Amino acid sequence: MARTTEELLAAREKNVPQGPFNIHPLFARDAKGALITTVDGREFIDFATGIGTVNVGHCPESVVEAVSDQSTRFLHTCFHVVMYEPYIELAEKLNALAPGSFAKKTLFLSTGAEAVENGVKIARYFTGRAGVITFEQAFHGRTLLAMSLTSKVKPYKLGFGPLSPEVYRMPYPYCYRCSFGLTHPGCGLACAEHLKDFFISHQAAEQIAAVIIEPVTGEGGFIVPPEGYLPRLREICTEHGIVLIVDEVQSGMGRTGRLFASEVLGIEPDILLTAKSLAAGLPLAGVTGRAEIMDAPHVGGLGGTFGGNPLACRAALAVLDLIEKEDLLRKSRAMGQRIGAALDEWKDRYEIIGDVRGLGAMRAFELVRDRVTKEPAADETKQIVSTCRDRGLITLSCGNYGNVMRLLAPLVITDQQLDKGLAILEGAVSEANRRLESSQAR
Ligand SMILES: Cc1ncc(COP(=O)(O)O)c(C=O)c1O
């Protein structure tokens, strides 16, 4: 018998540890396109897509058919034991699609964190160096190295040390809160040039294996680097023989209006990481990189039992077909314009919105209690998430200060669903703004 939400919540509390957080006290029954129906029959518009895992929407027919067909053939043989074509075909496709006209190779794993771990392992092996440079506002996952590369302390790192050694952190190019107190473009990209100081004051360039960066931060608040930043970083890495690893786990698979944000921002990574929306919700991650770098580790040095599971590879092949057939990259850009225009208007209307930003359909706005001090409005952000839920919209916040609302609607959402979702969100923002203004007037 199906249980009610209350019964399931009680059973969850009794049987599952508190560590795995739950943003919404909801249990899904079915999901299709941009809609999720819960066990008690409530329907929600989904602006979260499982933290960006179903850019193509819930259960697209062609993906479900590919997975069903594969499930009648074999579920798993383990790529290391008996190989199968979908793994090879998907590697061929990603090698052709990832930016850069050089020869590439792809390794498959199951999760984003594993992609991060393997990207760094490969870069270390290739360069014979240990150091890895990461950024403030970075999120790269929860395994030991990925967690060490991640920025935000609570909840991700607190109490889980010792952290992995040879991890160095730089300021992310976060123009709204510039670490150097400068303004782009007059800043001369001081945040990128800072790497040169870093090589003097922290660690020599010849000890650094890799720089790992999200081209648009995910959990860190959908921050988009200013024009020229990533190409400059690319130049510095090339100059010093440092492997540039670009983590597109959240920004990839059409989210920013091209298949990869790297393409929008004009860089060719040495190693590009994918996961999340790659297989429409099935666990799959890719490490795609320059052939000579990817081939550095010895035979047997890389792998994992479930990496590149055949169901997930078939799903990913169907996802790539769908993105092309349904012209989802154009849809992503159009959606981005529509959302961006709405957010710009809200910023004019509501003082609580300090910044709006994003690329393609990867959009966000940052909430502040005061536009001058930029004091983060974290409680107000939480309130917006719960008000939206009460009115049938699933949303997510993010940011190191927990004060950014990110929009991750599926690229297949209808205009009507998008407008309805935006109207709910605007209502919640407007109420938070009013409450804040009246508390400040007292
Ligand atoms: C940019 C980025 N990298 C890595 C990860 C980790 O992926 P996973 O949760 O699949 O391990 C995430 C997850 O949110 C992410 O956003």
Side-chain angles (χ1 to χ4, degrees):
M1 262 308 268
R3 289 185 265 184
T4 64
T5 300
E6 287 66 33
E7 287 166 344
L8 285 168
L9 279 172
R12 184 255 178 263
E13 200 174 316
K14 190 165 171 219
N15 295 286
V16 182
Q18 62 175 357
F21 67 113
N22 302 111
I23 298 162
H24 299 286
L26 303 173
F27 290 87
R29 187 188 69 200
D30 312 293
K32 187 77 190 160
L35 300 176
I36 296 180
T37 307
T38 58
V39 287
D40 38 20
R42 287 188 66 196
E43 192 175 79
F44 289 84
I45 296 172
D46 187 7
F47 272 18
T49 49
I51 324 188
T53 51
V54 289
N55 284 356
V56 291
H58 294 282
C59 299
E61 245 162 63
S62 59
V63 176
V64 173
E65 272 166 21
V67 173
S68 311
D69 176 66
Q70 182 59 41
S71 72
T72 63
R73 294 165 193 273
F74 58 93
L75 296 175
H76 203 57
T77 54
C78 183
F79 186 71
H80 307 302
V81 180
V82 175
M83 295 180 280
Y84 36 88
E85 188 171 355
Y87 190 117
I88 308 298
E89 193 183 338
L90 186 59
E92 287 173 331
K93 291 228 154 111
L94 286 177
N95 294 340
L97 290 166
S101 53
F102 40 85
K104 300 181 206 100
K105 293 197 175 185
T106 294
L107 160 76
F108 291 112
L109 298 313
S110 304
T111 67
E114 267 187 291
V116 167
E117 299 270 343
N118 280 277
V120 172
K121 275 171 71 173
I122 294 166
R124 282 181 168 161
Y125 203 108
F126 175 73
T127 57
R129 307 170 182 176
V132 185
I133 294 179
T134 181
F135 292 84
E136 287 163 10
Q137 283 84 34
F139 182 89
H140 294 294
R142 292 169 180 271
T143 53
L144 183 59
L145 175 58
M147 170 181 73
S148 306
L149 294 167
T150 289
S151 165
K152 194 172 177 175
V153 179
K154 277 187 201 173
Y156 304 125
K157 298 191 289 195
L158 184 79
F160 295 123
L163 300 176
S164 188
E166 286 300 324
V167 168
Y168 303 92
R169 199 171 303 281
M170 295 249 301
Y172 193 83
Y174 188 3
C175 292
Y176 181 62
R177 297 178 188 273
C178 177
S179 301
F180 301 87
L182 299 171
T183 307
H184 187 262
C187 61
L189 293 173
C191 48
E193 301 306 328
H194 181 65
L195 249 182
K196 292 191 206 140
D197 269 349
F198 172 92
F199 295 145
I200 294 167
S201 310
H202 294 269
Q203 181 58 291
E206 52 268 39
Q207 303 282 328
I208 299 295
V211 169
I212 182 165
I213 189 163
E214 294 159 89
V216 180
T217 63
E219 302 310 297
F222 282 25
I223 306 162
V224 186
E227 206 184 326
Y229 175 86
L230 287 170
R232 182 69 191 119
L233 190 67
R234 169 70 280 181
E235 277 172 10
I236 298 172
C237 287
T238 304
E239 191 186 327
H240 294 283
I242 295 170
V243 175
L244 179 61
I245 304 177
V246 176
D247 181 343
E248 295 245 21
V249 167
Q250 194 155 160
S251 61
M253 303 313 293
R255 177 51 58 187
T256 63
R258 301 283 292 270
L259 195 60
F260 300 112
S262 297
E263 299 169 77
V264 189
L265 297 167
I267 43 157
E268 293 179 353
D270 296 313
I271 292 181
L272 182 144
L273 310 178
T274 46
K276 287 201 188 275
S277 276
L278 177 59
L282 272 76
L284 185 68
V287 180
T288 301
R290 287 180 184 271
E292 68 275 19
I293 299 179
M294 295 298 292
D295 265 335
H298 54 265
V299 174
L302 303 173
T305 307
F306 283 119
N309 165 272
L311 295 174
C313 287
R314 288 288 304 272
L317 288 166
V319 164
L320 289 171
D321 272 355
L322 196 65
I323 290 176
E324 200 183 321
K325 282 199 192 111
E326 301 285 321
D327 208 359
L328 291 183
L329 301 182
R330 190 196 51 77
K331 181 89 195 292
S332 172
R333 294 192 286 274
M335 243 176 96
Q337 274 172 1
R338 207 180 171 98
I339 299 171
L343 299 190
D344 285 341
E345 276 178 30
W346 299 359
K347 191 179 170 205
D348 289 341
R349 248 176 254 157
Y350 310 114
E351 276 290 304
I352 196 170
I353 298 184
D355 192 32
V356 302
R357 52 188 182 240
L359 273 190
M362 188 168 187
R363 297 273 162 178
F365 53 97
E366 177 156 352
L367 296 132
V368 289
R369 306 196 84 228
D370 181 314
R371 280 194 180 178
V372 177
T373 64
K374 300 183 181 173
E375 182 192 345
D379 291 343
E380 292 77 359
T381 306
K382 264 193 211 130
Q383 185 61 53
I384 290 170
V385 171
S386 74
T387 306
C388 286
R389 178 176 61 241
D390 292 344
R391 296 172 190 172
L393 178 69
I394 294 179
T395 60
L396 287 177
S397 61
C398 62
N400 273 16
Y401 307 112
N403 67 326
V404 178
M405 288 297 299
R406 59 175 144 174
L407 283 76
L408 280 170
L411 306 179
V412 296
I413 194 168
T414 65
D415 286 348
Q416 201 197 11
Q417 289 165 335
L418 182 63
D419 289 346
K420 189 172 168 197
L422 287 173
I424 295 173
L425 183 55
E426 184 183 1
V429 171
S430 140
E431 287 164 31
N433 189 66
R434 206 175 321 125
R435 273 193 306 271
L436 182 63
E437 282 180 350
S438 57
S439 76
Q440 286 171 339
R442 267 187 236 130

